[in-house]
Amino acid sequence: MSGISVIATSTLVLGGLYLLMAAGLTLIWSTLRVFNFGHGALLMFGAYLTWTLLNTTGLPLIVSLAGAVVAMAALGAVYEFLLVSPFIKRPNGDMLVMVATLAATMLLQSGAQLIWGPELKQLPPFGGARVDVAGSVVQGTQLVTIVLAPLLVGLLALVLRRSSIGLTVRALEQNREHAQLLGIPPRRVYLFVVMVAVGFATVAGALLGSMQFMSPAMGSDPLLRAFVVLAFGGAGSLAGTIAGAYAIGLLEAVTTYYFGLSWSPVLVFLAMIVIMLVKPEGLLHTRVRSA
Amino acid sequence: MSDLLTVENLTAGYGQAGVLRGISLRVGENEAVGLLGPNGHGKTTLLRCVSNLHRPTSGTITFAGRSTAGRSPRDLVRSGLIHVPQGSRLFPQLTVEEALRLSAASSGHAGSWRDSLDRVYSVFPRLKERRRQLTGTLSGGERQMASLGMGLMAQPTLLILDEPTLGLSPKVKHELSECIVRVRAEVSSIILVDGDMELVLDLTDRYHVVLHGDVVDSGASDDERSRDEMMSLFLGGAADERH
Ligand SMILES: Nc1ncnc2c1ncn2[C@@H]1O[C@H](COP(=O)(O)OP(=O)(O)OP(=O)(O)O)[C@@H](O)[C@H]1O
Ligand SMILES: [Mg+2]
């Protein structure tokens, strides 16, 4: 493979994974005004759950993933019920929720350690399709990631734009108080966004678990990258998130190619610091909204 | 006349600071009630308690024969209590028509939204011209019209208007007050809060003056004498604040 096509492929693969993570985080941020620290652990849990479904039921991988997405969305509802709604309406509720999601990370990681043990596990490749691009071959999970991630996020964008639940989500994120006065139930919107976000994280987890070994900490790196994406894209905007995800993917692909795997994270975070200096409003900030 | 809304001995505040001090009032069916009073004396807080955006410390609120305690704002909206809040920036990324439609849908009137839309456009012809514009780019007067229009889309029994003419020029204010007259014909009961005393008295049947979180004076809005008395009350209230 030539340098260009290696970089292009890993940009699209990494960008796709970060997009799946960051789109959910953005959705949660823009409606709930909290950063979900548990998102990485949820990704991990989704990956393991896919593995279990695959190995206990013998269903095809893609069906196991679909099952895991449904199960994880249900877990997302529990997550919202236990960690978000008891705290969000209190004074300083956003801080309480964020601490609760940190606690959830510990719980999910320890839980995974207990349930699935320390031995290494990996999911098989997602299909055997292959494409030749400029003399190099992209196949299996990489190809699926490149196609599936923008497809799912595009679908989400369409739902937000066109459907009635999408309209209520946008209304709540633009003016929470007035939205309530129109009769929009915040709880239902929160439930919806958390379930969608957890479903996306599960897909990202299964894709990642098929490209590398799974571990209880496998979500930490994607979570950090998704955080950078949010900082870069200006949290709350899906368009910014899409641009941010592929920009970080490109940055990571280029730095890995030229400087190696160990330097890449340093350079990515350095880039984030520069971005924050130049464009401070990018970091977890959207337009000022009325109370 | 039977009461649509009764508020009894309501107290409320933010943290340690008390704002409402045992305020009581009632709104009858087919009645428009005005609330007057200087800035910061608790009018908005009262209205936020009525629509359950803010929890009172004590007292009772009854709407259409049922206590509102513990009910969600959504539940109240669906029973016809519609609150058009003070100074809302609306939904900057939604168009006028999206916002109007949203209000019909989320109040449980999705089926009849087209009829409501026609009525709203006949009350506010300007909104029809602006229907594809984002609410975030509307002028101050248009924004108030959109906000009122959204209130109408929810098919209110009781429509609460908090400072609809705040910050508008006299000319726009006049245009808007004519719209409110037309709004008045569309709904059973109204609570109108506004800084413009003349406008409130012209558009309502009864008025209350709210000072320091309680009603200090009430009367029929067409009583000429009351206007002079109110001026002195206002000035007295403002003088209090200086101490
Ligand atoms: N969210 C809040 N937190 C703390 N204090 C508040 C809050 N909202 C209002 N207040 C205070 O409560 C008091 C009453 O405010 P309120 O908005 O009810 O008055 P108002 O009569 O509607 O005034 P205006 O005519 O200016 O709209 C004011 O002193 C105000 O500063
Ligand atoms: Mg007010």
Side-chain angles (χ1 to χ4, degrees):
Chain A
M1 276 205 224
S2 67
I4 294 285
S5 57
V6 169
I7 289 176
T9 303
S10 51
T11 298
L12 293 176
V13 170
L14 293 171
L17 287 174
Y18 301 159
L19 181 58
L20 285 173
M21 279 292 275
L25 284 168
T26 295
L27 202 56
I28 291 176
W29 172 265
S30 59
T31 47
L32 281 149
R33 301 278 136 180
V34 297
F35 185 80
N36 178 25
F37 287 104
H39 221 64
L42 288 163
L43 170 149
M44 172 276 296
F45 224 78
Y48 275 109
L49 204 60
T50 308
W51 184 89
T52 296
L53 283 177
L54 182 73
N55 287 285
T56 55
T57 63
L59 289 165
L61 178 56
I62 193 77
V63 180
S64 302
L65 171 56
V69 166
V70 172
M72 288 298 291
L75 182 69
V78 176
Y79 192 86
E80 195 279 343
F81 191 77
L82 292 180
L83 305 178
V84 178
S85 53
F87 304 119
I88 193 74
K89 276 176 78 180
R90 291 167 176 270
N92 268 329
D94 43 2
M95 276 300 156
L96 285 170
V97 172
M98 285 196 263
V99 172
T101 66
L102 265 177
T105 301
M106 314 293 164
L107 197 73
L108 287 169
Q109 287 188 353
S110 311
Q113 189 82 47
L114 278 175
I115 299 170
W116 287 289
E119 65 271 22
L120 293 174
K121 297 182 173 59
Q122 190 168 13
L123 291 167
F126 277 80
R130 44 181 290 152
V131 174
D132 280 278
V133 193
S136 66
V137 178
V138 186
Q139 61 182 345
T141 303
Q142 288 200 326
L143 189 60
V144 170
T145 306
I146 291 172
V147 177
L148 190 61
L151 202 72
L152 285 176
V153 174
L155 202 66
L156 172 66
L158 203 69
V159 166
L160 289 179
R161 266 230 78 69
R162 298 258 176 256
S163 73
S164 62
I165 176 81
L167 190 59
T168 59
V169 171
R170 285 190 294 147
L172 196 77
E173 72 185 38
Q174 288 171 37
N175 194 336
R176 195 192 306 216
E177 178 148 320
H178 203 157
Q180 282 182 267
L181 288 178
L182 297 186
I184 290 172
R187 277 295 310 281
R188 269 185 235 177
V189 173
Y190 299 160
L191 212 58
F192 172 79
V193 300
V194 172
M195 287 172 76
V196 169
V198 172
F200 277 27
T202 302
V203 174
L207 293 170
L208 198 62
S210 149
M211 289 188 262
Q212 60 182 50
F213 286 115
M214 299 189 276
S215 77
M218 69 185 278
S220 311
D221 263 11
L223 180 71
L224 281 176
R225 298 303 194 287
F227 182 74
V228 180
V229 169
L230 258 64
F232 186 89
S237 132
L238 204 51
T241 302
I242 295 169
Y246 287 105
I248 299 300
L250 175 66
L251 202 61
E252 196 167 331
V254 170
T255 50
T256 306
Y257 189 80
Y258 289 107
F259 305 100
L261 214 54
S262 46
W263 280 105
S264 167
V266 179
L267 293 167
V268 168
F269 280 95
L270 212 61
M272 171 176 161
I273 292 169
V274 172
I275 291 161
M276 283 167 67
L277 286 173
V278 179
K279 184 181 168 286
E281 72 276 13
L283 184 76
L284 299 189
H285 187 281
T286 46
R287 298 162 303 276
V288 181
R289 24 159 239 165
S290 63
Chain B
M1 197 186 325
S2 64
D3 288 351
L4 187 57
L5 178 80
T6 42
V7 173
E8 275 172 279
N9 293 319
L10 204 71
T11 61
Y14 304 92
Q16 294 298 310
V19 175
L20 300 179
R21 298 152 202 256
I23 193 168
S24 300
L25 59 86
R26 41 167 294 273
V27 179
E29 272 165 27
N30 294 311
E31 189 181 38
V33 172
L35 296 183
L36 297 158
N39 295 129
H41 282 242
K43 302 179 298 295
T44 297
T45 303
L46 170 66
L47 303 182
R48 286 167 49 84
C49 288
V50 167
S51 48
N52 269 346
L53 278 182
H54 189 71
R55 191 201 288 265
T57 350
S58 68
T60 57
I61 304 172
T62 311
F63 175 69
R66 273 181 68 195
S67 165
T68 66
R71 292 162 71 186
S72 66
R74 174 184 176 81
D75 186 22
L76 295 176
V77 165
R78 293 193 166 225
S79 58
L81 191 156
I82 308 300
H83 180 169
V84 177
Q86 177 175 347
S88 172
R89 286 173 42 266
L90 304 184
F91 305 92
Q93 306 295 313
L94 300 189
T95 65
V96 170
E97 201 155 296
E98 274 179 318
L100 292 171
R101 184 179 186 170
L102 175 67
S103 179
S106 52
S107 60
H109 301 100
S112 53
W113 82 279
R114 289 210 164 271
D115 294 340
S116 306
L117 195 69
D118 288 342
R119 282 195 305 150
V120 167
Y121 284 158
S122 73
V123 176
F124 304 98
R126 266 239 248 161
L127 287 184
K128 188 168 188 180
E129 287 168 28
R130 303 276 162 193
R131 64 183 187 276
R132 307 228 179 284
Q133 194 171 325
L134 295 180
T135 61
T137 63
L138 294 174
S139 74
E142 290 162 354
R143 205 181 308 147
Q144 284 298 344
M145 290 178 192
S147 202
L148 259 62
M150 286 162 73
L152 277 188
M153 292 298 288
Q155 305 191 6
T157 326
L158 172 64
L159 183 62
I160 298 175
L161 304 179
D162 195 356
E163 309 268 4
T165 75
L166 187 71
L168 303 181
S169 70
K171 187 165 160 285
V172 180
K173 216 183 229 188
H174 182 73
E175 189 186 343
L176 198 72
S177 69
E178 287 181 345
C179 293
I180 298 175
V181 172
R182 274 173 272 156
V183 168
R184 175 73 192 93
E186 299 273 337
V187 297
S188 155
S189 304
I190 285 190
I191 297 179
L192 174 62
V193 177
D194 204 86
D196 187 331
M197 192 178 89
E198 295 287 329
L199 181 132
V200 171
L201 293 176
D202 284 347
L203 294 178
T204 57
D205 307 312
R206 286 189 302 120
Y207 71 87
H208 299 291
V209 177
V210 178
L211 264 187
H212 300 298
D214 202 356
V215 171
V216 295
D217 184 39
S218 308
S221 302
D222 54 6
D223 182 353
E224 283 299 330
R225 238 190 58 238
S226 60
R227 302 196 177 198
D228 302 334
E229 279 173 21
M230 228 171 322
M231 279 317 284
S232 58
L233 265 174
F234 267 55
L235 294 174
D240 276 2
E241 280 190 340
R242 262 178 248 128
H243 299 304

